[in-house]
Amino acid sequence: SAVISQKPSRDICQRGTSLTIQCQVDSQVTMMFWYRQQPGQSLTLIATANQGSEATYESGFVIDKFPISRPNLTFSTLTVSNMSPEDSSIYLCSVEEPGELFFGEGSRLTVL
Amino acid sequence: KQEVTQIPAALSVPEGENLVLNCSFTDSAIYNLQWFRQDPGKGLTSLLLIQSSQREQTSGRLNASLDKSSGRSTLYIAASQPGDSATYLCAAVKAAGNKLTFGGGTRVLVKP
């Protein structure tokens, strides 16, 4: 199974700032996914990131707020822009390999 | 639209008792169903993946069953241990490469 590393593992940020989360996979994968887990909630898909194309965003999520990069088959970044306390969540990167989903350890973000 | 439900939301059992975790889904046309474990503030660990053509999967003390006709999957954990305390999530996917739909999770506490 793929090994997925996320940075940072946690951070405390000020309102109005932006934070970029990195996701590194130890093998080449076609599809990478970014999820959000708000406190006490289950996971919600933010977007699907394929290498060489624009990310596909789910309803309720927009590129201006959550820009995503996918420069190669092993790496992706998610930026949470102009943060507010409502953005306090765990952000998780995942990959499909094949038919089974694997997750990173998550990035726990607290916005003050 | 697929909806996945996990009841109960929380469960507390004494050590040694068998755990039975329920997952129900509204659309039986699934590609596979996956069970995950999540420790507090952490990412998800894949436990078992059941393909739509399978009835069950086993790994050690864990056994997961799938009944598409009734829209149910059950995760059994035999002889529970305090280390099994975590949140367990199930997720269904409609087709390869499609997003997963997660249940709300069952938070399990195994008391020594």
Side-chain angles (χ1 to χ4, degrees), chain B residues 2-67:
Chain B
Q2 179 73 276
E3 292 182 5
V4 180
T5 305
Q6 292 183 250
I7 296 173
L11 186 60
S12 179
V13 299
E15 181 177 3
E17 192 166 298
N18 296 332
L19 280 164
V20 180
L21 306 178
N22 300 306
C23 172
S24 61
F25 46 94
T26 55
D27 186 350
S28 62
I30 62 171
Y31 177 69
N32 64 39
L33 187 135
Q34 198 167 349
W35 281 93
F36 297 90
R37 169 188 171 134
Q38 185 177 31
D39 293 294
K42 299 291 188 180
L44 276 66
T45 300
S46 179
L47 296 175
L48 289 167
L49 171 73
I50 311 177
Q51 303 282 2
S52 63
S53 59
Q54 297 174 321
R55 297 284 293 185
E56 66 177 342
Q57 278 285 348
T58 298
S59 176
R61 293 185 294 114
L62 276 60
N63 174 276
S65 66
L66 176 64
D67 183 344

Side-chain angles (χ1 to χ4, degrees), chain A residues 76-96:
Chain A
S76 178
T77 66
L78 168 75
T79 298
V80 186
S81 303
N82 188 25
M83 288 184 285
S84 67
E86 293 71 35
D87 294 320
S88 297
S89 298
I90 299 174
Y91 293 86
L92 298 117
C93 167
S94 70
V95 302
E96 185 185 27

Side-chain angles (χ1 to χ4, degrees), chain A:
Chain A
S1 62
V3 176
I4 305 167
S5 303
Q6 276 188 242
K7 290 181 184 180
S9 58
R10 57 175 61 216
D11 208 339
I12 300 173
C13 302
Q14 297 299 317
R15 183 195 300 257
T17 62
S18 299
L19 179 75
T20 296
I21 301 167
Q22 299 179 3
C23 177
Q24 179 76 52
V25 188
D26 69 342
S27 58
Q28 295 185 339
V29 294
T30 302
M31 302 180 77
M32 296 179 75
F33 306 89
W34 286 98
Y35 284 84
R36 180 176 75 180
Q37 187 177 32
Q38 294 176 299
Q41 304 294 314
S42 191
L43 279 75
T44 302
L45 181 65
I46 298 172
T48 301
N50 291 336
Q51 193 268 336
S53 62
E54 292 284 330
T56 302
Y57 289 83
E58 296 296 306
S59 175
F61 297 96
V62 295
I63 189 171
D64 289 345
K65 176 67 176 177
F66 297 102
I68 288 171
S69 78
R70 183 80 201 273
N72 57 52
L73 291 173
T74 63
F75 187 78
S76 178
T77 66
L78 168 75
T79 298
V80 186
S81 303
N82 188 25
M83 288 184 285
S84 67
E86 293 71 35
D87 294 320
S88 297
S89 298
I90 299 174
Y91 293 86
L92 298 117
C93 167
S94 70
V95 302
E96 185 185 27
E97 189 193 67
E100 186 170 0
L101 212 63
F102 297 96
F103 283 83
E105 280 294 301
S107 298
R108 188 167 198 165
L109 181 60
T110 301
V111 185
L112 303 177

